[in-house]
Amino acid sequence: MGIARSRTDRAQDHGRLIALGVLGYYLASYLDFLGLQHVSAALERLILFLNPTIVLLLSAFFLAKRIRRLEWLALALSYAGIVLAFWHDVRLDGGRLALGSLLVFGSALCYALYLVIGGELVKRLGQSA
């Protein structure tokens, strides 16, 4: 049996869901496309593939989930690979690379926040339905 929720609670939940959709889809996509104007598609993909590591770190910091030793190793390897790819692109075109990389990383961060917050919001809303 679900928990009774007021009209205000439902309206706040709808607002949270809309904000979450804007963060996870619109803002993430917008930052990604802006970043692609400054970096290669290959580097953009590599940065976006850091998403699982960002989710892991956000879950550790905000949800107090423990990161195991093997996960720390995976984090280190992931970011070392990005540094190598980034270093290669810096030598080829250092001009707008930093801006583009930050925009794409912002996209990955927005999507990771969407996944972490969305998972918690779905758990909470699923219990009250």
Side-chain angles (χ1 to χ4, degrees), residues 18-35:
I18 290 168
L20 191 61
V22 168
L23 174 74
Y25 182 75
Y26 177 77
L27 188 57
S29 297
Y30 182 71
L31 290 172
D32 186 36
F33 288 129
L34 283 178

Side-chain angles (χ1 to χ4, degrees), residues 61-124:
F61 290 124
F62 295 113
L63 304 177
K65 296 197 177 182
R66 187 175 169 272
I67 299 177
R68 297 178 311 220
R69 185 182 316 231
L70 188 58
E71 292 167 330
W72 280 115
L73 177 63
L75 282 169
L77 286 173
S78 295
Y79 284 92
I82 291 300
V83 167
L84 287 174
F86 188 80
W87 185 257
H88 175 265
D89 282 359
V90 166
R91 291 185 314 173
L92 295 178
D93 176 28
R96 301 182 316 175
L97 183 67
L99 174 62
S101 297
L102 285 174
L103 288 168
V104 173
F105 188 80
S107 171
L109 181 61
C110 286
Y111 192 70
L113 285 167
Y114 165 78
L115 292 174
V116 172
I117 295 168
E120 293 300 308
L121 191 57
V122 166
K123 273 194 245 179
R124 190 177 68 73

Side-chain angles (χ1 to χ4, degrees), residues 10-61:
R10 287 192 305 263
Q12 287 176 345
D13 288 340
H14 284 121
R16 287 183 187 111
L17 289 171
I18 290 168
L20 191 61
V22 168
L23 174 74
Y25 182 75
Y26 177 77
L27 188 57
S29 297
Y30 182 71
L31 290 172
D32 186 36
F33 288 129
L34 283 178
L36 273 170
Q37 294 177 9
H38 304 284
V39 298
S40 67
L43 182 59
E44 179 257 358
R45 289 280 93 192
L46 285 173
I47 294 169
L48 287 181
F49 285 144
L50 290 175
N51 193 277
T53 67
I54 299 168
V55 169
L56 181 66
L57 291 171
L58 289 173
S59 296
F61 290 124

